[in-house]
Amino acid sequence: MIEKLHLTPEDAFPEDLGKVQDHELQVLDSQVQRQLDHEVVVDGEPDPETEFRHYELDEEFNDRDKR
């Protein structure tokens, strides 16, 4: 299966990251980070939805590190 390299603000995003397996969470993080980088380079600033997703992923990783 070929995965998208970017996760645009229009693409589906899990409502509950706590239910996402570690590997899938890492893939999501990579996709969101690539999208964030792309938006900054192309538009000069990130889309608010991409920033929010990036924040949510960071929070989930921090929560998992505490367990």
Side-chain angles (χ1 to χ4, degrees):
M1 175 170 86
I2 297 175
E3 305 222 14
K4 292 176 64 174
L5 295 178
H6 298 252
L7 190 69
T8 68
E10 295 79 23
D11 292 330
F13 190 77
E15 288 186 32
D16 185 357
L17 292 176
K19 295 180 180 180
V20 177
Q21 297 291 322
D22 288 346
H23 172 75
E24 292 172 15
L25 193 70
Q26 292 170 346
V27 170
L28 272 174
D29 184 56
S30 177
Q31 291 171 319
V32 169
Q33 185 62 53
R34 286 177 180 270
Q35 181 65 26
L36 190 64
D37 294 344
H38 173 77
E39 290 169 1
V40 168
V41 169
V42 172
D43 302 328
E45 62 184 12
D47 184 284
E49 180 65 22
T50 304
E51 278 188 309
F52 176 75
R53 290 174 174 187
H54 186 256
Y55 172 80
E56 287 292 305
L57 286 161
D58 283 348
E59 287 295 309
E60 182 62 29
F61 279 119
N62 287 335
D63 288 348
R64 290 183 188 202
D65 282 345
K66 292 175 186 174
R67 293 184 214 155

